[in-house]
Amino acid sequence: MRRGIAVSPGVAVGTAYVIHEIYVNPDTKELADSEITAELASYEVARDKSASELRALERKVEAQVGHEEGAVFAVHQAILRDAAFTNKIRNWIVEERMNAPAALHRLLGEYTALFARTNDDYLKERLNDVRDVIIRLSSHLSDVLKPDQASIEGPLIVIADELLPSQAVALGDIDVHAIVTQAGSQTSHAAIIARSRGIPAVSGVKNILRKVKTGDTIVVDGRHGVVEINPKIESLTAFRKLEREFVDLKDQLASNRELSAETADNVPLQLEANINGVSDAEAAHNMGASGVGLYRTEYLYLTHRDVPDEEEQFSIYKEIIAASPDHSVTIRTLDIGGDKTVAYLGHDHNEANPFMGWRSIRLSFEHPDFFNTQIRAIIRAANEFPANAVRMMFPMVTTVEELRKLRAIIRKAHRTLADHGQECREMPIGMMVEVPAAAVTIDTMLELVDFVSIGSNDLVQYLMAADRDNPRVSHLCQPLAPAVLITLKMVIAACNRRSVPITLCGEMAGKPKAFILLLGMGLRKFSMSPAFVPSIKQLAQMISIAETEQILESVMKFKTTAQVNKYMTRQIERIAPKLSILDSD
Ligand code: PEP
Ligand code: MG
């Protein structure tokens, strides 16, 4: 049994399909003279197949996700065409009698060593692209990597170091029942995909690639971040039963999408979705979310080579708003930095404490051209839809001065637009409460904003001084810690007292235990991964506000996270026993 971070709930039993196995165990062979020509030909066939796959992927992703996301695969085609790349492989096959998979493996080693010497984050990112292309080529040369479902018995569980962008897209065509990664975190590709598809996932499982091989039987418990390899029959039977319950429950809940969100005593709630792009906006629709409570614009920049211009941003924002439920969208300005870097915004050095450093609005303030462009594009896009349907929100707000400065920047954007003959309406302006300083001074902050959204993912990590992506301190980075609950209760009460609309858009909004406590604190609006909306809607219908207030009262007396967890586990088992499978630690 191995432990990692629980990044997407549910239980699955299946057969391992190890994506990076070739790198742990490369298929090496010295060629005989007579085999060299055939090996060169196999490599050319693999190149052709890869090129046509990449062209198809580029078209598919461009149509379904967007032009910039599709462009990643154009970059991959350019790598594939690169003469230096291909000449090295050919030389090693001919002169060193290496088989093509081994040559590719060696080339990856060379690139890894080369990129390790650079401090340029943009270049470092490109290593992922090279690796992706090499894996794709290898998949056409080695049986190990072929996603040949027919040869693998039972439902597939993908095991990888971390999912690369193209693998993530390719998984869209395969019936995957769970994902386990060696690296990764709550915000990695694997975690995001698993949550949006509603399949269990565990990340940060140390050495999993050395312990598992394709064909092994795997149990994934996304509730507790546990993975079992070739478990005993008793364990297997118990998990198979849990898996059946999980699948039945998901099917049943998805049919609730038209139901209104309200508690057992008919208090109306707003359950919105967190999205990163157009396909998520469509998922939000399908899952019955009432709007988008958080559109993370950084994904737009992460896939760009240069600052996207105002027209491009304007049209993308319009597209997202049009695809979102009720055209109701909260657009968050760029939240880059921390673990996500964009070279063209000056991220060319490694900070000692990136999460506490130059990120989000701190960075945007120092790039006024870029920041003004984004704000103008948002204002113009909002103007195309009904009043107040679109809101603008700022991440990482820490001080009142920052809010004043933001207000001035928005006023300036309106003036510039008016000077160009474009009069735009005012729109609701909000802040995220994710820095403890903002939570502590919430009363002063509220004078300057129209709404608040608690970013509990960051608020918890900063409050507990425990990196949200570091498995070693994940026992501290807990949303049910008493310190967190006290802070959340205080912020929610302050907003309700002043009638400033408040929502919470961190991962805890979609977790049953936390959701009940937030209801008890007086929160009525939530934003979560689209896949969690149906289960939270169901849970809301099973509990009254009075009951949540009683539960909260008991919980606020506990002194430890363990006590809160234990008590809330019992409560969920009592209120909605079937839903506990959809909760995660
Ligand atoms: C948060 O911090 O809770 C949040 C929603 O923002 P992100 O996860 O993008 O940092
Ligand atoms: Mg955040």
Side-chain angles (χ1 to χ4, degrees):
M1 189 169 100
R2 315 199 71 84
R3 282 195 177 276
I5 314 171
V7 294
S8 184
V11 170
V13 180
T15 309
Y17 167 49
V18 182
I19 289 194
H20 284 192
E21 189 160 53
I22 196 158
Y23 298 110
V24 182
N25 193 11
D27 182 10
T28 311
K29 171 179 175 210
E30 191 177 324
L31 300 171
D33 280 349
S34 57
E35 290 172 321
I36 289 175
T37 315
E39 195 67 11
L40 283 170
S42 311
Y43 178 66
E44 290 312 319
V45 170
R47 270 185 85 205
D48 288 347
K49 285 185 180 163
S50 302
S52 72
E53 271 177 5
L54 285 166
R55 276 194 301 275
L57 266 174
E58 186 187 354
R59 278 196 300 273
K60 179 175 165 187
V61 174
E62 191 169 298
Q64 294 179 2
V65 188
H67 177 69
E68 285 314 316
E69 287 80 359
V72 171
F73 301 104
V75 172
H76 289 191
Q77 289 169 64
I79 296 171
L80 201 59
R81 284 193 300 270
D82 183 76
F85 183 110
T86 297
N87 288 341
K88 278 204 165 169
I89 300 293
R90 285 187 188 139
N91 278 344
W92 288 334
I93 293 174
V94 176
E95 281 162 24
E96 303 199 22
R97 296 169 185 273
M98 290 178 96
N99 61 340
L104 285 165
H105 188 251
R106 174 165 165 189
L107 189 63
L108 180 63
E110 280 198 358
Y111 276 111
T112 308
L114 189 70
F115 282 78
R117 292 202 294 269
T118 172
N119 279 331
D120 185 325
D121 286 329
Y122 180 76
L123 277 181
K124 280 190 171 165
E125 266 302 303
R126 299 289 69 78
L127 178 60
N128 272 340
D129 293 321
V130 173
R131 182 182 290 135
D132 205 334
V133 171
I134 290 181
I135 289 173
R136 181 172 302 283
L137 280 164
S138 306
S139 76
H140 293 295
L141 290 161
S142 159
D143 290 338
V144 182
L145 268 174
K146 266 190 202 128
D148 176 8
Q149 269 178 279
S151 69
I152 301 173
E153 274 178 36
L156 237 56
I157 295 195
V158 167
I159 317 277
D161 179 40
E162 165 56 314
L163 286 184
L164 299 164
S166 77
Q167 291 165 338
V169 174
L171 288 182
D173 299 331
I174 301 176
D175 186 23
V176 174
H177 286 230
I179 302 174
V180 178
T181 60
Q182 186 161 276
S185 62
Q186 290 282 357
T187 45
S188 59
H189 280 294
I192 290 167
I193 291 164
R195 283 199 294 267
S196 71
R197 291 178 72 174
I199 58 172
V202 179
S203 286
V205 188
K206 274 191 223 138
N207 295 328
I208 188 82
L209 287 178
R210 283 210 212 119
K211 302 289 172 191
V212 180
K213 56 187 185 318
T214 294
D216 281 347
T217 300
I218 302 284
V219 163
V220 179
D221 184 344
R223 300 166 305 166
H224 307 304
V226 170
V227 178
E228 278 193 47
I229 306 161
N230 296 325
K232 290 211 174 81
I233 186 75
E234 302 80 37
S235 179
L236 203 57
T237 312
F239 275 109
R240 285 221 162 99
K241 183 165 176 290
L242 278 170
E243 185 191 29
R244 271 196 302 280
E245 287 172 16
F246 170 63
V247 173
D248 290 347
L249 184 64
K250 266 201 317 184
D251 291 348
Q252 180 211 325
L253 291 175
S255 62
N256 285 352
R257 60 179 293 272
E258 302 297 341
L259 293 184
S260 60
E262 57 180 28
T263 58
D265 50 343
N266 306 113
V267 172
L269 304 176
Q270 272 175 278
L271 303 184
E272 298 190 321
N274 295 348
I275 67 163
N276 301 325
V278 176
S279 58
D280 290 344
E282 284 154 7
H285 213 94
N286 295 338
M287 290 292 144
S290 60
V292 166
L294 170 65
Y295 164 35
R296 294 178 163 107
T297 57
E298 51 273 15
Y299 284 86
L300 173 64
Y301 298 84
L302 287 167
T303 52
H304 253 77
R305 289 187 156 271
D306 208 340
V307 185
D309 68 20
E310 187 175 322
E311 290 311 312
E312 204 169 353
Q313 290 190 52
F314 170 60
S315 77
I316 289 168
Y317 298 152
K318 269 198 310 189
E319 192 188 350
I320 296 265
I321 302 164
S324 296
D326 237 1
H327 308 320
S328 165
V329 184
T330 303
I331 304 182
R332 175 174 78 180
T333 63
L334 186 70
D335 186 14
I336 215 83
D339 54 343
K340 301 176 227 136
T341 57
V342 176
Y344 56 75
L345 289 176
H347 261 127
D348 53 357
H349 60 283
N350 293 324
E351 289 180 285
N353 288 302
F355 275 113
M356 287 202 266
W358 197 51
R359 60 172 293 200
S360 287
I361 53 167
R362 301 170 183 185
L363 180 148
S364 298
F365 282 141
E366 287 189 39
H367 286 281
D369 283 350
F370 142 76
F371 200 23
N372 292 335
T373 304
Q374 181 174 36
I375 286 171
R376 281 197 305 272
I378 295 173
I379 295 174
R380 284 176 55 202
N383 215 36
E384 306 267 315
F385 294 89
N388 296 334
V390 182
R391 300 160 292 273
M392 180 160 26
M393 176 162 82
F394 296 99
M396 283 288 287
V397 173
T398 309
T399 66
V400 165
E401 290 93 320
E402 286 173 346
L403 280 180
R404 291 197 187 118
K405 212 160 147 182
L406 290 168
R407 285 279 182 190
I409 291 173
I410 294 167
R411 281 195 298 275
K412 184 175 164 218
H414 274 279
R415 278 200 305 276
T416 311
L417 287 171
D419 288 348
H420 287 83
Q422 299 190 50
E423 289 290 344
C424 292
R425 274 192 314 267
E426 296 287 333
M427 61 193 287
I429 304 298
M431 66 179 277
M432 291 191 75
V433 171
E434 48 188 353
V435 177
V440 171
T441 57
I442 187 72
D443 279 308
T444 340
M445 298 275 183
L446 291 183
E447 290 165 15
L448 287 151
V449 291
D450 305 314
F451 68 94
V452 163
S453 185
I454 301 176
S456 53
N457 302 339
D458 277 316
L459 185 59
V460 174
Q461 77 161 343
Y462 291 132
L463 208 52
M464 304 300 288
D467 185 337
R468 66 197 242 187
D469 291 336
N470 183 346
R472 288 202 149 162
V473 292
S474 61
H475 61 289
L476 287 168
C477 192
Q478 292 292 328
L480 298 187
V484 174
L485 298 178
I486 291 168
T487 311
L488 293 173
K489 188 164 177 263
M490 178 198 72
V491 173
I492 294 168
C495 293
N496 285 341
R497 220 171 21 244
R498 286 175 170 260
S499 304
V500 175
I502 174 153
T503 178
L504 183 142
C505 61
E507 290 304 323
M508 68 188 290
K511 297 190 175 184
K513 291 179 213 162
F515 172 73
I516 286 184
L517 295 174
L518 293 164
L519 270 182
M521 292 177 191
L523 197 67
R524 301 290 177 259
K525 192 170 173 184
F526 304 79
S527 192
M528 60 198 75
S529 294
F532 295 160
V533 171
S535 55
I536 291 295
K537 200 182 268 184
Q538 174 91 351
L539 177 61
Q541 283 165 358
M542 297 167 117
I543 192 160
S544 69
I545 293 295
E547 234 183 310
T548 63
E549 286 169 354
Q550 269 169 15
I551 293 174
L552 179 71
E553 201 182 318
S554 308
V555 160
M556 294 311 282
K557 293 186 188 129
F558 294 132
K559 296 189 172 61
T560 69
T561 312
Q563 284 171 312
V564 178
N565 238 318
K566 196 166 153 206
Y567 179 80
M568 286 313 295
T569 302
R570 282 208 308 273
Q571 294 302 318
I572 298 290
E573 276 163 7
R574 177 180 66 79
I575 301 160
K578 281 187 175 170
L579 291 185
S580 55
I581 202 162
L582 295 176
D583 214 345
S584 60
D585 293 342

